[in-house]
């Protein structure tokens, strides 16, 4: 703590600007240009009022869901730019420095992981949960709409901190897991690790509230007759994921706060000296980190289940076994965290127990794969883009699962620890398992949200680029890992590695084409939205309740709440021709008013984070005070809802 | 202004109370991790003072008594609100606030005393864990006090209604929860040092 800290600006000074590397400087310029471009565009179109009242202050779960997904897609692009830069560096850096200075390379792999997990995958998942779950359970809203907006804005505040770290100051060099003692202040002074801590801490608070919100929504706001075992699979997985969130995220909060206390207040949780214990950090971090994998992947499994049933034109095979498998995975996910650090030396018996627990998780996961296969068996399969992503997932995920079982064996883990074999394994789980699922969900539910379908051709192109690109980018990493290549190498001297690294770079280029195809798909579909219009509200011959209402749905979702009598009740009613009966309306239909509390608390959260990173204490306390004042102020208002009449003036709200 | 009917209001309150239980569950996980960390670090003194050299039995007993009694008084406040007695509700809430503030004052005095004796949170791993655990509990009590004072103001403005009783019910839950956590702190952090 020898830095010069001023009262007004903390440790923020002119040296915070990114002149240390031309690459970082260009990145900062692009970030700034993107932000400014957005502001100019909105001003030029004269849409500020529409943006503010229609989106930024909205507490409609559908609008919030869309904002989450937009955030996720923006961060996907940023995280991917990091990825392709690393691939290019490694393809070039045999016995040379490549084009990236070491410190900047370290920032890039740290920000890539942080962005992809916290600001791409999490918002994507939360966005899909937000949009779809209330529709699937026949509810008019989530349980706590304003809390939902606050959750979104805290996530956005974390993402904002993440993005601003490229322009003002530097990001962490400690990897996305931030292991001490390296991430401690003794070895890594400066603001990088603090940016990492505060961006995930602030968005983590938002995520915890999302978890609470969705458990209450799913358990309390289902349509009459929607028993637990009649819930769509995606809702089930959303419920399990939310339960995992409220149990796991405290561990992330605790581990990062302790690291922040070490760094900022000179405490000794994880330091080398004065009685610190850095192994405790690994435990705390992965007590969150392992369930986090399932928080992300379970909803993706839910999407695959919906997609595979719809596009096989069959009911989901083995629904109860899928439900039980999901809950078993959710429970087991808390029993395996130690497999992330077998080499820490906890002892042979401890390692054996955690290794076995890890292998056991493969069993319910295997059950799911068989259920999906049997759903397709003798089905009438339609190869729409979401279905292609689902089939691609099934093929690739099995490979990743097998490498996972290999890694679960402690002796093998010792020899592959921290090699690119591990990198290949977890990308093999997360890209096909998580991202393919979310992309399938995005293409599957897009017509519901916007009233027109996405272009099929570009969707297929995107899938094939992603699939082949993924194989080329990550299969070589398995081989490289077995050849002994450690992860995160800025430069290396082994000429045998280079050809495979060049192949991996080519794979990354194909994935780039996959992302370009996604953009093209959106562009082409918007251009041809009249031709692709979905007039029925049910373009795929869907099975669940969200397809029983118009696309896009009205603000209150259901003109009248349906009474559910079976699993896939909507599909049942289409076959039998018996229209779903509706619950009688006793009360006037109320929807919550817009609220500025969300954006205010988001701004406050950003101030707290930025102040804490730069030691601008007045800013931090001002942010804290603003957040508290907003919450207390809000609690004095009672008139938070407005009555609407289905069928009248729907668009004016 | 459109008021929701009592039935809708009751349903909303029930959902909020359920959500609050979930929050408490999440918070309980957070505290249990802090307790776990404290247990791991309880012997990492690094040559610094341990609890037996620092803790004062009288201070501890007073703190504990204040907090436990405040749990009783807030339950009485909730009971009074439930039976529709505004003045009594306010009275018991004020007493709860005073007891809570007394607890907090003693805690601040104790902790700042440690810092003055060169036994601050930066002294050793043990003291980092101690300050963080006790400090987190103290921050929760502070939040509870702010909440209680907000409720006092709202009872004065709005009187007793379904929504207000539900809010007081949640504060009561929160306050009892902090009491339980304190019993954990008392038994796992302080008590072993006196045995």
């Amino acid at each position: 703590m020898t830095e010069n800290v001023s009262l007004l600006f903390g440790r923020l000074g002119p040296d915070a600007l990114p002149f240390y590397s031309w690459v970082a400087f260009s990145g900062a310029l692009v970030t700034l240009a993107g932000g400014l471009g957005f502001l100019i565009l909105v001003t030029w179109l004269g849409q500020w009022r529409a943006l503010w009242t229609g989106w930024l202050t909205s507490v409609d779960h559908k609008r919030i869901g869309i904002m989450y997904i937009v955030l996720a897609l923006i961060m996907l692009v940023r995280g991917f730019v990091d990825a392709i830069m690393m691939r290019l560096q490694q393809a070039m850096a045999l016995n040379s420095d490549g084009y990236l200075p070491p410190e900047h390379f370290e920032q890039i792999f740290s920000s890539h992981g942080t962005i992809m997990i916290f600001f791409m995958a999490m918002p994507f998942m939360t966005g899909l949960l937000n949009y779809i779950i209330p529709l699937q359970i026949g509810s008019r809203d989530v349980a706590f709409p304003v809390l939902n907006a606050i959750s979104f804005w805290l996530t956005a505040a974390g993402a904002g901190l993440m993005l601003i770290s490229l322009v003002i100051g530097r990001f962490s060099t400690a990897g996305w897991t931030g292991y001490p003692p390296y991430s401690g202040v003794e070895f890594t002074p400066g603001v990088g690790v603090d940016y990492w801590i505060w961006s995930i801490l602030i968005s983590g608070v938002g995520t915890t509230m999302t978890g609470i919100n969705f458990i209450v929504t799913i358990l309390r706001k289902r349509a009459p007759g929607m028993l637990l075992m009649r819930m769509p699979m995606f809702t089930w997985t959303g419920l399990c994921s939310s339960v995992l969130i409220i149990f796991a995220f405290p561990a992330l909060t605790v581990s990062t706060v302790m690291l922040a206390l070490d760094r900022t207040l000179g405490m000794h949780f994880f330091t080398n000296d004065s009685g610190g214990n850095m192994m405790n950090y690994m435990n705390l971090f992965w007590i969150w980190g392992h369930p986090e994998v399932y928080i992300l992947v379970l909803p993706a499994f839910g999407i695959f289940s919906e997609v595979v049933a719809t596009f096989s034109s069959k009911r989901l095979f083995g629904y109860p076994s899928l439900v039980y498998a999901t809950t078993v995975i959710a429970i087991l996910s808390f029993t395996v965290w130690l497999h992330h650090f077998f080499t820490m030396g906890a002892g042979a018996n401890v390692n054996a127990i955690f290794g076995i627990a890890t292998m056991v998780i493969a069993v319910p996961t295997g059950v799911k794969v068989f259920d999906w296969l049997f759903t397709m068996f003798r089905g009438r399969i339609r190869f729409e883009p979401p279905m292609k992503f689902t089939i691609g997932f099934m093929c690739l995920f099995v490979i990743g699962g097998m490498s996972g079982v290999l890694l679960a064996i402690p002796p093998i883990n010792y020899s592959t620890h921290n090699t690119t074999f591990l990198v290949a394994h977890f990308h093999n789980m997360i890209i096909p398992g998580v991202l393919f699922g979310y992309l399938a969900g995005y293409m599957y539910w897009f017509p519901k949200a916007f009233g027109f379908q996405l272009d099929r051709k570009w969707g297929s192109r995107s899938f094939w680029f992603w699939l082949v690109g993924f194989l080329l980018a990550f299969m070589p990493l398995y081989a490289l890992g077995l050849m002994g290549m450690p992860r995160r190498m800025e430069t290396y001297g082994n000429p045998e590695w280079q050809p495979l690294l060049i192949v991996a770079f080519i794979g990354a280029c194909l994935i780039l084409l996959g992302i370009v195809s996604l953009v093209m798909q959106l562009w082409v579909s918007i251009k041809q939205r009249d031709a692709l219009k979905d007039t029925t509200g049910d373009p795929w011959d869907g099975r669940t309740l969200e397809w029983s209402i118009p696309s896009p749905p009205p603000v209150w979702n259901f003109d009248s709440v349906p009474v559910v009598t079976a699993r896939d009740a909507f599909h049942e009613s289409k076959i039998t021709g018996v229209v779903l009966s509706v619950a009688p309306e006793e009360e006037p239909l109320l929807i919550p008013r817009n609220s500025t509390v969300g954006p205010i608390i988001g701004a406050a959260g950003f101030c707290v984070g930025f102040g804490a990173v730069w030691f601008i204490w007045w800013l931090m306390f001002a942010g804290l005070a603003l957040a508290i004042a907003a919450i207390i102020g809000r609690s004095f208002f009672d008139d938070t809802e407005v009555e609407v009449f289905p069928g009248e003036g729907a668009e004016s709200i | 202004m459109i008021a929701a009917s009592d039935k809708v209001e009751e349903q909303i309150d029930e959902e909020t109370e359920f959500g609050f239980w979930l929050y408490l569950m999440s918070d309980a996980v957070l505290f249990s991790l802090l307790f776990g960390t404290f247990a791991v670090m309880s012997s990492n003194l690094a040559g610094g003072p341990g609890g037996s050299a620092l803790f004062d039995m009288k201070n501890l007993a007073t703190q504990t008594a204040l907090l436990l009694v405040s749990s009783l008084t807030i339950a009485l406040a909730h009971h009074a609100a439930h039976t529709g007695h505004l003045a009594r509700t306010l009275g018991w809430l004020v007493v709860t606030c005073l007891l809570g503030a007394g607890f907090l004052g003693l805690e601040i005095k104790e902790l700042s005393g440690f810092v003055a004796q060169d036994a601050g949170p930066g002294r050793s791993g043990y003291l980092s864990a101690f300050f963080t655990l006790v400090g987190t509990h103290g921050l929760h009590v502070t939040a509870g006090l702010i909440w209680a004072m907000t409720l006092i103001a709202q009872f004065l403005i709005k009187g007793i209604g379904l929504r207000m009783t539900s809010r007081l019910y949640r504060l009561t839950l929160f306050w009892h929860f902090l009491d339980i956590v304190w019993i954990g702190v008392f038994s796992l952090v302080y008590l072993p040092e006196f045995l």
Side-chain angles (χ1 to χ4, degrees), chain A residues 144 212 215-216 220-221 246-247 250-251 258 261 266-269 274-275 277 280 586-587 632 635-636 638 643, chain B residues 2 5 7-8 14-15 19 22 26 29 33-34 37 40-41 44 46 121-122 124-125 128 132 154 157-158 167:
Chain A
F144 311 119
I212 294 173
I215 297 177
V216 180
R220 285 289 188 275
K221 296 189 84 72
I246 67 160
F247 279 104
M258 284 176 179
L261 290 172
M267 292 200 195
H268 291 286
F269 282 106
S274 302
N277 181 348
N280 194 30
E586 294 163 2
E587 308 286 344
I632 292 180
S635 74
F636 277 86
D638 288 324
E643 186 170 2
Chain B
I2 307 142
S5 70
K7 198 176 148 204
V8 173
E14 197 275 337
E15 283 165 8
L22 293 174
S26 194
V29 175
L33 292 168
L34 290 178
T37 302
V40 167
M41 308 195 89
N44 296 8
S124 68
S128 301
T132 304
Q154 290 185 345
I157 296 170
K158 303 180 184 193
R167 282 180 182 172

Side-chain angles (χ1 to χ4, degrees), chain A residues 381-604:
Chain A
I381 300 175
R382 286 169 282 154
F383 291 96
E384 299 282 347
M387 189 61 181
K388 286 185 177 164
F389 274 105
T390 303
I391 296 173
F393 148 78
M394 283 186 231
C395 302
L396 297 180
F397 194 74
V398 176
I399 302 173
M402 282 192 294
S403 67
V405 176
L406 275 178
L407 283 169
I409 303 165
I412 294 180
N413 193 296
Y414 264 72
S415 52
T416 50
H417 183 80
N418 256 354
T419 66
T420 58
F421 188 86
L422 170 79
V423 177
H425 161 69
F426 69 72
H427 282 89
N428 200 340
M429 304 315 271
I430 285 181
I431 292 177
V434 174
L435 189 63
F436 280 20
Y438 297 168
L439 288 176
Y442 156 76
M443 292 182 192
Y444 179 57
W445 282 305
F446 187 92
K448 178 50 60 192
F450 293 100
F452 60 95
Q453 284 181 282
L454 283 170
D455 183 71
R456 198 168 292 170
K457 228 182 276 167
W458 281 105
S460 289
R461 279 176 199 156
S462 173
F463 163 70
W464 285 110
F465 281 130
W466 270 102
L467 180 88
V468 179
F470 167 80
L471 285 168
L472 285 180
F474 291 101
M475 292 302 131
L477 294 194
Y478 277 123
L480 283 165
L482 295 177
M483 288 157 73
M485 181 179 173
R487 67 198 290 198
R488 298 172 175 167
M489 298 279 279
E490 191 258 341
T491 177
Y492 54 93
N494 186 343
E496 287 174 15
W497 294 348
Q498 196 176 30
L500 287 171
L501 286 168
I502 291 172
V503 174
F505 172 67
I506 295 170
C509 293
L510 289 183
I511 292 179
L512 172 66
L513 292 179
I515 293 176
V516 171
S517 305
L518 284 176
V519 177
M520 282 304 295
Q521 182 192 34
L522 196 58
W523 174 255
V524 168
S525 313
I526 292 173
K527 282 245 161 199
Q528 303 172 352
R529 60 186 177 278
D530 290 329
L532 293 165
K533 204 172 175 68
D534 164 32
T535 48
T536 59
D538 182 21
W540 309 115
D541 189 15
R543 313 180 67 81
T544 38
L545 284 183
E546 74 269 29
W547 303 110
S548 69
I549 51 176
S551 311
V555 187
W556 49 86
N557 298 346
F558 293 87
D559 283 349
S560 36
V561 175
V563 176
V564 178
T565 48
R567 194 181 306 148
D568 291 349
F570 173 59
H571 193 254
E572 207 80 348
S573 80
K574 282 193 288 188
I575 292 174
T576 56
V578 182
V579 182
L580 284 178
S581 60
V582 296
E585 294 296 330
E586 294 163 2
E587 308 286 344
L589 180 46
L590 300 180
I591 59 166
R593 288 178 199 281
N594 279 7
S595 169
T596 49
V597 173
I600 289 175
I601 289 186

